[in-house]
Amino acid sequence: MNDAYLNGRFLPLAEATVPVLDRGFVFGDGVYELVPVYSKKPFRLDDHLRRLQASLDGIRLANPHSADAWRELIGTLVAHYDADDQSVYIQVTRGVAPRDHPFPQNTAPTVFMFTQPLVTATAEQKAAGVCAVTAVDYRWQRCDIKAISLLANILLRQQAIDAGCAETVMLRDGFLSEGAASNIFVVKDGVLRAPPPSRLMLTGITYDVVLELAQAHGIAHEVRALAEAEVRGADELWMTSSTREIMAIVTLDGVPVGSGVPGPLAQRMDALYQTFKREVMRA
Ligand code: PDD
């Protein structure tokens, strides 16, 4: 089954290989996207393609494809894969060149995609919620670029795994930035709060959808810098991403968040999100 695409060719993932001097391999010099697909329809694809463009602009790499060409390539990959719900990974690197830091001249970028079944949380997992730990966000100053060089995110996320938890909530200079692989929302006294988009976090497509749904359904919400004390004193804490959707964090650093179970607003937002997804699929 052709579950991958590499530089103009659809092929099985196991057969997709790149030369070791690909700058993605030696430098982490590239960007990526992860697009959830529901019932064979890519969710919010235009937003993902816009963010891909922003990431490419951020690393000064020309986009190898127009938005229409991307839509076509992704559509072909998705159509030929068995699963209805998929997660499509897209990566563009600065290509293969002798190892030297300066941008290579006249080098074609490497374009790689693969798809796999999208596994979202079960009702039981949602009802249980997850635990998280906090850590100082020591990443660089361009976390808005969805860069493949994820070493800091990996080390930070592993702190959560080592503690038997799902996610690391990152704090920079005493303020919430995001999760190691998700955005973080805070609920206090019925008000949903999220940090404002900046270069210090990746603005998730899920983050945008959650705020749109809050707006559309009259849920009080604020987008502003959130101090560590607000995170620790939250009634509810959520992590959001294309693969985790909306997941309640029920303990933080071993301390129960609010009542220690997924809160009412998390459950409501998850229901709104699931309905919204279904509407988009039907459209
Ligand atoms: N990551 N922030 C970071 C650092 C992330 O890695 C992600 C998602 C998000 C949420 O973005 P979105 O809602 O668009 O998925 C925020 C993906 C899922 C990954 O790296 O696998």
Side-chain angles (χ1 to χ4, degrees):
M1 188 174 7
N2 289 341
D3 51 353
Y5 169 91
L6 181 64
N7 296 331
R9 208 158 69 85
F10 291 93
L11 72 179
L13 180 60
E15 290 172 20
T17 56
V18 290
V20 288
L21 284 183
D22 191 285
R23 289 175 66 98
F25 184 63
V26 289
F27 289 133
D29 185 3
V31 298
Y32 77 105
E33 271 299 320
L34 194 137
V35 185
V37 173
Y38 302 109
S39 300
K40 299 253 182 198
K41 284 198 179 163
F43 183 64
R44 303 281 280 212
L45 183 54
D46 290 356
D47 292 352
H48 282 280
L49 292 177
R50 254 193 300 277
R51 190 171 67 182
L52 176 63
Q53 182 66 58
S55 294
L56 288 166
D57 291 345
I59 70 162
R60 298 167 56 191
L61 181 58
N63 196 331
H65 298 302
S66 67
D68 281 345
W70 278 116
R71 267 187 227 107
E72 173 126 14
L73 290 172
I74 294 163
T76 304
L77 186 69
V78 165
H80 290 94
Y81 190 66
D82 270 352
D84 288 339
D85 295 353
Q86 306 176 26
S87 75
V88 174
Y89 177 86
I90 304 167
Q91 171 172 317
V92 184
T93 78
R94 213 179 302 275
V96 181
R99 187 188 176 280
D100 195 10
H101 290 63
F103 294 172
Q105 301 299 311
N106 307 317
T107 298
T110 299
V111 179
F112 168 57
M113 299 196 286
F114 74 95
T115 190
Q116 61 184 352
L118 174 65
V119 182
T120 50
T122 62
E124 292 72 34
Q125 287 167 330
K126 285 180 194 174
V130 295
C131 75
V133 299
T134 58
V136 169
D137 189 347
Y138 54 70
R139 298 174 302 162
W140 66 333
Q141 306 277 337
R142 289 306 307 274
C143 299
D144 58 319
I145 298 172
K146 204 163 168 58
I148 59 168
S149 23
L150 284 171
L151 187 52
N153 299 65
I154 287 166
L155 291 170
L156 286 158
R157 176 96 193 279
Q158 191 61 33
Q159 292 186 23
I161 306 306
D162 291 347
C165 288
E167 184 58 303
T168 299
V169 175
M170 298 187 287
L171 300 157
R172 198 191 289 252
D173 300 327
F175 288 89
L176 172 65
S177 51
E178 61 180 333
S182 63
N183 291 113
I184 303 293
F185 285 80
V186 169
V187 178
K188 187 70 180 177
D189 299 328
V191 181
L192 179 62
R193 299 196 169 107
S198 76
R199 289 188 164 191
L200 300 182
M201 65 176 242
L202 183 80
T203 306
I205 307 304
T206 322
Y207 166 104
D208 283 340
V209 173
V210 164
L211 288 175
E212 280 175 35
L213 290 171
Q215 178 72 33
H217 294 272
I219 296 168
H221 59 283
E222 289 175 357
V223 176
R224 61 165 174 82
L226 295 167
E228 177 172 350
E230 296 182 85
V231 176
R232 296 201 185 276
D235 296 333
E236 296 185 31
L237 214 50
W238 311 344
M239 58 184 282
T240 69
S241 79
S242 295
T243 47
R244 303 309 289 266
E245 302 188 329
I246 293 115
M247 177 56 79
I249 295 170
V250 294
T251 61
L252 186 66
D253 293 334
V255 179
V257 177
S259 52
V261 293
L265 205 51
Q267 291 173 40
R268 182 166 175 216
M269 185 55 74
D270 178 55
L272 292 172
Y273 191 82
Q274 301 306 325
T275 305
F276 182 73
K277 261 167 49 180
R278 277 195 293 275
E279 281 167 4
V280 169
M281 285 179 304
R282 269 199 303 270

